[in-house]
Amino acid sequence: QKEVEQDPGPLSVPEGAIVSLNCTYSNSAFQYFMWYRQYSRKGPELLMYTYSSGNKEDGRFTAQVDKSSKYISLFIRDSQPSDSATYLCAFGSSNTGKLIFGQGTTLQVKP
Amino acid sequence: KAGVTQTPRYLIKTRGQQVTLSCSPISGHRSVSWYQQTPGQGLQFLFEYFSETQRNKGNFPGRFSGRQFSNSRSEMNVSTLELGDSALYLCASSPGLAATPGETQYFGPGTRLLVL
């Protein structure tokens, strides 16, 4: 079983839709959870960072963590064409000293 | 503040050759991590350098090596290139160790390596 599973997509939605991106994980040692966004020909950039189970909101983005079920989600409200990118979930643990990334989900928001 | 820069941006090599990639971190950042990104495997951790010392290493063969200089700039070397080494190589810098809670990594644009 892979440590992190992320549906690669691609996911295509109309402008204004609510987007849900998900990752599951198997390692209980993961302590913090992140979402990165990667535009074409660019490096990933950090979108959201959270430690605990529950929801964290930042503008149109909401990160959700459920440690008991070992999954994390990123919700994008009122999606815009500029949100078209690849979204990567990432997991960290000070025990392992490294970050583990999901494969990334490619999102296209059509005007 | 200037972001993370990587050189070269594109590179074509043949099997058996070696290659050196360069990364300049954000000023003041002491940690540099390297990742390999491919469509099949996603983003995979290669190694992290902090204050010129390798602090962590991923599951890659010994053909992949790196170093960090006193100004925090880092180089990554791949010897005896194989076709499967074709990938986007990303460098990321952070003020402290990357896996420290609360630490943020900033990625460069990557070097796209094609091995023929």
Side-chain angles (χ1 to χ4, degrees):
Chain A
Q1 184 188 8
K2 276 189 170 181
E3 221 171 359
V4 174
E5 300 270 7
Q6 181 176 11
D7 186 342
L11 186 61
S12 183
V13 301
E15 184 176 352
I18 296 174
V19 176
S20 170
L21 305 167
N22 308 292
C23 286
T24 58
Y25 64 97
S26 58
N27 191 341
S28 301
F30 289 146
Q31 298 166 313
Y32 42 98
F33 313 88
M34 293 150 282
W35 284 96
Y36 281 80
R37 177 175 62 195
Q38 185 175 19
Y39 289 115
S40 180
R41 296 189 179 85
K42 301 275 189 183
E45 57 176 336
L46 183 65
L47 264 182
M48 302 284 285
Y49 191 122
T50 183
Y51 292 93
S52 54
S53 283
N55 293 350
K56 181 178 180 180
E57 196 172 311
D58 184 1
R60 295 184 296 109
F61 299 90
T62 299
Q64 183 179 79
V65 174
D66 185 334
K67 286 187 177 181
S68 60
S69 300
K70 294 192 179 66
Y71 81 81
I72 67 172
S73 298
L74 178 70
F75 298 97
I76 307 174
R77 288 186 302 281
D78 187 27
S79 56
Q80 303 294 309
S82 58
D83 295 327
S84 298
T86 296
Y87 290 81
L88 302 116
C89 55
F91 302 80
S93 164
S94 52
N95 296 335
T96 63
K98 54 188 176 183
L99 302 182
I100 306 297
F101 286 81
Q103 287 224 177
T105 299
T106 300
L107 170 68
Q108 184 184 31
V109 181
K110 294 182 175 179
Chain B
K1 228 181 205 183
V4 178
T5 57
Q6 292 187 245
T7 56
R9 292 293 310 277
Y10 303 92
L11 207 48
I12 300 175
K13 292 285 187 179
T14 56
R15 275 183 303 174
Q17 286 186 310
Q18 75 164 17
V19 66
T20 299
L21 312 181
S22 181
C23 172
S24 292
I26 292 172
S27 177
H29 286 193
R30 295 168 67 189
S31 166
V32 173
S33 297
W34 288 90
Y35 295 85
Q36 181 194 68
Q37 188 174 35
T38 59
Q41 299 296 320
L43 199 61
Q44 293 188 287
F45 172 76
L46 279 156
F47 29 66
E48 178 182 14
Y49 285 85
F50 182 86
S51 295
E52 301 179 68
T53 302
Q54 187 181 90
R55 293 304 184 104
N56 216 330
K57 193 175 187 309
N59 297 325
F60 279 82
R63 299 186 296 108
F64 292 81
S65 63
R67 59 178 176 168
Q68 187 180 35
F69 302 96
S70 58
N71 61 359
S72 292
R73 192 177 70 83
S74 177
E75 287 182 348
M76 190 193 95
N77 184 274
V78 187
S79 62
T80 319
L81 283 166
E82 300 177 0
L83 296 179
D85 297 333
S86 294
L88 180 67
Y89 289 89
L90 290 158
C91 157
S93 77
S94 52
L97 287 169
T100 303
E103 201 64 63
T104 299
Q105 282 193 306
Y106 296 86
F107 283 82
T111 294
R112 188 163 295 281
L113 171 65
L114 178 61
V115 182
L116 300 175

